Amino acid sequence: MTTLSVTVFVLVYLGMALGRVPGLAIDRTGVALLGLIVLLATEDLSLAEAGAAVDMPTIALLFALMILSAQFEHSGFYGWVAHWVVHAAKNPKRLLAVLIAVTGAMAAIFTNDVIVFALTPLVAVGLMSEKLDPRPYLIGLAAAANAGSAATLIGNPQNILIGQAGGLDFWTYLVYAIPPTIAALVIVFVTILATWRLVPGSGRAPGEAPRPPIDRFQLGKGIVAVIALIGLFLTPLPRELSALAVAGALLLSRRLSSRAMIGAVDWQLLLLFVCLFGVTASFGKTGLSQEGLAWLAAHGLLPDRLSVLAPLTLIASNTIGNVPAVILLIKLVPDLSDGALTALALLSTFAGNLLLTGSLCNIIVAERAAASGAKLTFVDFARSGIPMTLASFAVTMLWLWATGLVPF
């Protein structure tokens, strides 16, 4: 069944690169699910093997963080933040700076995909009500969510996976990640200013919606939950169990139904993870990955140094996507050093800012904005994305080399 495993593997990751199946309404998750179904139906991969391939701590941690985010969403916090960001800054440059700073900080805690899913329609509508061109601000929203999420091991799906697979210490990673993350956020701001002309709005549209209501009690619960989670991260308790304990406590509510909280979970993303774990495990059974790894080692091309890891993450993240790329790389090279894993987390995240298709976060922004009447094209994004990503990569590589984490 080697031929079938390789064929399915190639077709699934081709689907990750294209983002869909031409002529069919099947997205990345659908492609991965179909690939796994074929492997199970042909018994190339047993159900037990597929289950064993799933990194349950990663899935559990991501699920719990989505529950935490749902608490803030149902409190009205995201709507309040979007309204405050758009209407509190009259100066376009200040508006962009506030949007980038707030989004980056929130993404480091609640994961980037969750943040942009909640904020994009609110920000887009608010910008258009102020008669502002939403495109540079939407790029700032997506890019800041990506850049800010690099700061922690819970900021985005690929960092969660890397942290769990490599057993990285949360706080040690934070120390190394904060400087390049701040630099990347500044680069996002400067690049958008250099590539777009920010024109002041012509005033609010008639009938503008009032300030969104906020449930202070539910918001308070969310804040206490975040503090508790940070406190638990200081203990030996595994991160996924800490997050699940906090999520379980949040579900004990008299006002918010568990159905509403669980319904806010991005099940599509979790299913994508599960399916890719299975497809990659089937490919691993062929032995081709081990042979490829031996060939790379013989030619000095293992991704354990910057000269290999940087171009690899940049290309892979913008073809098959940063999450599938990280899953593939970790499965193929399971013994990367802590320094290389830290570099992989930072570089694969910043690489997502190159093109609109570079990360799921960018696609969410484009699709949610379009549904709100604001169009963000591939060319619009690349206009700022290419220079900001190359600059972020240069700074990050210099930082990683200077700290001695990864050799060049």
Side-chain angles (χ1 to χ4, degrees), residues 122-149:
L122 302 171
V123 170
V125 171
L127 290 168
M128 289 186 291
S129 74
E130 292 282 347
K131 301 297 192 296
L132 291 166
D133 181 356
R135 293 175 297 170
Y137 302 99
L138 291 172
I139 294 171
L141 175 66
N146 283 325
S149 72

mmCIF file of all heavy atoms in Angstrom, residues 122-149:
data_model
loop_
_atom_site.group_PDB
_atom_site.id
_atom_site.type_symbol
_atom_site.label_atom_id
_atom_site.label_comp_id
_atom_site.label_asym_id
_atom_site.label_seq_id
_atom_site.Cartn_x
_atom_site.Cartn_y
_atom_site.Cartn_z
ATOM 1 N N LEU A 122 -16.326 43.050 13.022
ATOM 2 C CA LEU A 122 -16.584 44.227 13.854
ATOM 3 C C LEU A 122 -15.693 45.395 13.437
ATOM 4 O O LEU A 122 -16.152 46.535 13.315
ATOM 5 C CB LEU A 122 -16.330 43.880 15.328
ATOM 6 C CG LEU A 122 -17.158 42.718 15.894
ATOM 7 C CD1 LEU A 122 -16.658 42.343 17.279
ATOM 8 C CD2 LEU A 122 -18.633 43.087 15.945
ATOM 9 N N VAL A 123 -14.412 45.110 13.201
ATOM 10 C CA VAL A 123 -13.474 46.156 12.778
ATOM 11 C C VAL A 123 -13.813 46.650 11.381
ATOM 12 O O VAL A 123 -13.803 47.856 11.111
ATOM 13 C CB VAL A 123 -12.029 45.625 12.839
ATOM 14 C CG1 VAL A 123 -11.063 46.603 12.168
ATOM 15 C CG2 VAL A 123 -11.603 45.388 14.278
ATOM 16 N N ALA A 124 -14.135 45.741 10.469
ATOM 17 C CA ALA A 124 -14.439 46.126 9.084
ATOM 18 C C ALA A 124 -15.645 47.054 9.022
ATOM 19 O O ALA A 124 -15.621 48.090 8.344
ATOM 20 C CB ALA A 124 -14.682 44.875 8.238
ATOM 21 N N VAL A 125 -16.697 46.695 9.711
ATOM 22 C CA VAL A 125 -17.905 47.530 9.719
ATOM 23 C C VAL A 125 -17.613 48.882 10.363
ATOM 24 O O VAL A 125 -18.052 49.938 9.880
ATOM 25 C CB VAL A 125 -19.058 46.814 10.466
ATOM 26 C CG1 VAL A 125 -20.227 47.754 10.676
ATOM 27 C CG2 VAL A 125 -19.502 45.576 9.690
ATOM 28 N N GLY A 126 -16.857 48.881 11.455
ATOM 29 C CA GLY A 126 -16.505 50.128 12.118
ATOM 30 C C GLY A 126 -15.679 51.047 11.228
ATOM 31 O O GLY A 126 -15.903 52.263 11.188
ATOM 32 N N LEU A 127 -14.728 50.482 10.507
ATOM 33 C CA LEU A 127 -13.888 51.278 9.609
ATOM 34 C C LEU A 127 -14.718 51.892 8.486
ATOM 35 O O LEU A 127 -14.548 53.068 8.137
ATOM 36 C CB LEU A 127 -12.782 50.398 9.017
ATOM 37 C CG LEU A 127 -11.688 49.942 9.988
ATOM 38 C CD1 LEU A 127 -10.834 48.854 9.348
ATOM 39 C CD2 LEU A 127 -10.813 51.125 10.396
ATOM 40 N N MET A 128 -15.612 51.102 7.923
ATOM 41 C CA MET A 128 -16.433 51.617 6.825
ATOM 42 C C MET A 128 -17.408 52.671 7.325
ATOM 43 O O MET A 128 -17.753 53.600 6.583
ATOM 44 C CB MET A 128 -17.154 50.454 6.127
ATOM 45 C CG MET A 128 -16.209 49.574 5.318
ATOM 46 S SD MET A 128 -17.041 48.296 4.328
ATOM 47 C CE MET A 128 -17.651 47.219 5.628
ATOM 48 N N SER A 129 -17.854 52.561 8.578
ATOM 49 C CA SER A 129 -18.739 53.582 9.129
ATOM 50 C C SER A 129 -18.006 54.904 9.303
ATOM 51 O O SER A 129 -18.617 55.971 9.312
ATOM 52 C CB SER A 129 -19.315 53.123 10.475
ATOM 53 O OG SER A 129 -18.353 53.188 11.502
ATOM 54 N N GLU A 130 -16.679 54.837 9.429
ATOM 55 C CA GLU A 130 -15.854 56.043 9.540
ATOM 56 C C GLU A 130 -15.372 56.522 8.168
ATOM 57 O O GLU A 130 -14.546 57.433 8.076
ATOM 58 C CB GLU A 130 -14.644 55.756 10.438
ATOM 59 C CG GLU A 130 -14.977 55.526 11.894
ATOM 60 C CD GLU A 130 -15.257 56.815 12.635
ATOM 61 O OE1 GLU A 130 -14.964 57.895 12.089
ATOM 62 O OE2 GLU A 130 -15.790 56.748 13.761
ATOM 63 N N LYS A 131 -15.851 55.883 7.097
ATOM 64 C CA LYS A 131 -15.461 56.205 5.724
ATOM 65 C C LYS A 131 -13.956 56.045 5.500
ATOM 66 O O LYS A 131 -13.318 56.818 4.785
ATOM 67 C CB LYS A 131 -15.881 57.649 5.380
ATOM 68 C CG LYS A 131 -17.373 57.914 5.498
ATOM 69 C CD LYS A 131 -18.175 57.073 4.503
ATOM 70 C CE LYS A 131 -19.627 57.532 4.418
ATOM 71 N NZ LYS A 131 -20.358 57.352 5.665
ATOM 72 N N LEU A 132 -13.382 55.029 6.111
ATOM 73 C CA LEU A 132 -11.961 54.733 5.958
ATOM 74 C C LEU A 132 -11.772 53.557 5.010
ATOM 75 O O LEU A 132 -12.616 52.653 4.945
ATOM 76 C CB LEU A 132 -11.340 54.377 7.317
ATOM 77 C CG LEU A 132 -11.204 55.501 8.346
ATOM 78 C CD1 LEU A 132 -10.901 54.916 9.715
ATOM 79 C CD2 LEU A 132 -10.109 56.473 7.932
ATOM 80 N N ASP A 133 -10.664 53.557 4.255
ATOM 81 C CA ASP A 133 -10.305 52.417 3.429
ATOM 82 C C ASP A 133 -9.909 51.288 4.370
ATOM 83 O O ASP A 133 -8.906 51.389 5.091
ATOM 84 C CB ASP A 133 -9.127 52.788 2.523
ATOM 85 C CG ASP A 133 -8.711 51.629 1.608
ATOM 86 O OD1 ASP A 133 -9.283 50.528 1.725
ATOM 87 O OD2 ASP A 133 -7.788 51.834 0.784
ATOM 88 N N PRO A 134 -10.663 50.201 4.425
ATOM 89 C CA PRO A 134 -10.385 49.168 5.431
ATOM 90 C C PRO A 134 -9.166 48.303 5.130
ATOM 91 O O PRO A 134 -8.646 47.632 6.024
ATOM 92 C CB PRO A 134 -11.663 48.321 5.409
ATOM 93 C CG PRO A 134 -12.186 48.473 4.024
ATOM 94 C CD PRO A 134 -11.847 49.870 3.610
ATOM 95 N N ARG A 135 -8.671 48.309 3.888
ATOM 96 C CA ARG A 135 -7.633 47.354 3.486
ATOM 97 C C ARG A 135 -6.349 47.430 4.315
ATOM 98 O O ARG A 135 -5.893 46.387 4.833
ATOM 99 C CB ARG A 135 -7.324 47.505 1.994
ATOM 100 C CG ARG A 135 -8.479 47.089 1.095
ATOM 101 C CD ARG A 135 -8.161 47.362 -0.358
ATOM 102 N NE ARG A 135 -7.986 48.800 -0.598
ATOM 103 C CZ ARG A 135 -7.511 49.306 -1.728
ATOM 104 N NH1 ARG A 135 -7.151 48.493 -2.723
ATOM 105 N NH2 ARG A 135 -7.397 50.618 -1.878
ATOM 106 N N PRO A 136 -5.725 48.585 4.481
ATOM 107 C CA PRO A 136 -4.485 48.587 5.287
ATOM 108 C C PRO A 136 -4.714 48.173 6.734
ATOM 109 O O PRO A 136 -3.850 47.539 7.349
ATOM 110 C CB PRO A 136 -4.008 50.043 5.186
ATOM 111 C CG PRO A 136 -5.212 50.833 4.791
ATOM 112 C CD PRO A 136 -6.018 49.921 3.941
ATOM 113 N N TYR A 137 -5.867 48.492 7.281
ATOM 114 C CA TYR A 137 -6.157 48.133 8.665
ATOM 115 C C TYR A 137 -6.444 46.637 8.795
ATOM 116 O O TYR A 137 -6.069 46.007 9.792
ATOM 117 C CB TYR A 137 -7.341 48.944 9.179
ATOM 118 C CG TYR A 137 -7.104 50.432 9.095
ATOM 119 C CD1 TYR A 137 -7.615 51.183 8.037
ATOM 120 C CD2 TYR A 137 -6.345 51.090 10.057
ATOM 121 C CE1 TYR A 137 -7.388 52.553 7.939
ATOM 122 C CE2 TYR A 137 -6.108 52.467 9.974
ATOM 123 C CZ TYR A 137 -6.632 53.178 8.911
ATOM 124 O OH TYR A 137 -6.393 54.528 8.815
ATOM 125 N N LEU A 138 -7.079 46.055 7.787
ATOM 126 C CA LEU A 138 -7.320 44.614 7.808
ATOM 127 C C LEU A 138 -6.004 43.851 7.674
ATOM 128 O O LEU A 138 -5.811 42.808 8.301
ATOM 129 C CB LEU A 138 -8.285 44.224 6.680
ATOM 130 C CG LEU A 138 -9.725 44.694 6.845
ATOM 131 C CD1 LEU A 138 -10.536 44.409 5.584
ATOM 132 C CD2 LEU A 138 -10.370 44.022 8.061
ATOM 133 N N ILE A 139 -5.099 44.363 6.851
ATOM 134 C CA ILE A 139 -3.769 43.758 6.747
ATOM 135 C C ILE A 139 -3.063 43.862 8.093
ATOM 136 O O ILE A 139 -2.427 42.912 8.559
ATOM 137 C CB ILE A 139 -2.936 44.450 5.647
ATOM 138 C CG1 ILE A 139 -3.560 44.191 4.272
ATOM 139 C CG2 ILE A 139 -1.491 43.960 5.674
ATOM 140 C CD1 ILE A 139 -2.944 45.011 3.156
ATOM 141 N N GLY A 140 -3.183 45.033 8.724
ATOM 142 C CA GLY A 140 -2.586 45.204 10.046
ATOM 143 C C GLY A 140 -3.175 44.248 11.063
ATOM 144 O O GLY A 140 -2.455 43.707 11.915
ATOM 145 N N LEU A 141 -4.483 44.025 10.990
ATOM 146 C CA LEU A 141 -5.155 43.098 11.902
ATOM 147 C C LEU A 141 -4.612 41.684 11.743
ATOM 148 O O LEU A 141 -4.241 41.033 12.725
ATOM 149 C CB LEU A 141 -6.665 43.126 11.639
ATOM 150 C CG LEU A 141 -7.529 42.131 12.425
ATOM 151 C CD1 LEU A 141 -7.500 42.448 13.907
ATOM 152 C CD2 LEU A 141 -8.976 42.150 11.905
ATOM 153 N N ALA A 142 -4.552 41.203 10.492
ATOM 154 C CA ALA A 142 -4.067 39.846 10.231
ATOM 155 C C ALA A 142 -2.593 39.702 10.589
ATOM 156 O O ALA A 142 -2.188 38.743 11.265
ATOM 157 C CB ALA A 142 -4.292 39.488 8.763
ATOM 158 N N ALA A 143 -1.785 40.663 10.137
ATOM 159 C CA ALA A 143 -0.339 40.580 10.367
ATOM 160 C C ALA A 143 -0.001 40.693 11.848
ATOM 161 O O ALA A 143 0.887 40.001 12.352
ATOM 162 C CB ALA A 143 0.374 41.672 9.577
ATOM 163 N N ALA A 144 -0.710 41.558 12.572
ATOM 164 C CA ALA A 144 -0.469 41.705 14.007
ATOM 165 C C ALA A 144 -0.895 40.454 14.767
ATOM 166 O O ALA A 144 -0.248 40.053 15.744
ATOM 167 C CB ALA A 144 -1.211 42.923 14.545
ATOM 168 N N ALA A 145 -1.990 39.832 14.328
ATOM 169 C CA ALA A 145 -2.432 38.595 14.975
ATOM 170 C C ALA A 145 -1.394 37.495 14.787
ATOM 171 O O ALA A 145 -1.093 36.736 15.713
ATOM 172 C CB ALA A 145 -3.785 38.157 14.412
ATOM 173 N N ASN A 146 -0.832 37.410 13.580
ATOM 174 C CA ASN A 146 0.227 36.434 13.332
ATOM 175 C C ASN A 146 1.466 36.754 14.165
ATOM 176 O O ASN A 146 1.997 35.899 14.876
ATOM 177 C CB ASN A 146 0.599 36.413 11.845
ATOM 178 C CG ASN A 146 -0.406 35.657 11.002
ATOM 179 O OD1 ASN A 146 -0.980 34.668 11.440
ATOM 180 N ND2 ASN A 146 -0.643 36.124 9.791
ATOM 181 N N ALA A 147 1.942 38.004 14.059
ATOM 182 C CA ALA A 147 3.175 38.389 14.754
ATOM 183 C C ALA A 147 3.026 38.280 16.262
ATOM 184 O O ALA A 147 3.896 37.731 16.950
ATOM 185 C CB ALA A 147 3.565 39.813 14.355
ATOM 186 N N GLY A 148 1.925 38.784 16.804
ATOM 187 C CA GLY A 148 1.726 38.739 18.251
ATOM 188 C C GLY A 148 1.605 37.325 18.785
ATOM 189 O O GLY A 148 2.047 37.030 19.896
ATOM 190 N N SER A 149 1.028 36.430 17.979
ATOM 191 C CA SER A 149 0.838 35.053 18.435
ATOM 192 C C SER A 149 2.153 34.311 18.601
ATOM 193 O O SER A 149 2.214 33.289 19.294
ATOM 194 C CB SER A 149 -0.062 34.294 17.446
ATOM 195 O OG SER A 149 0.630 34.024 16.231
#
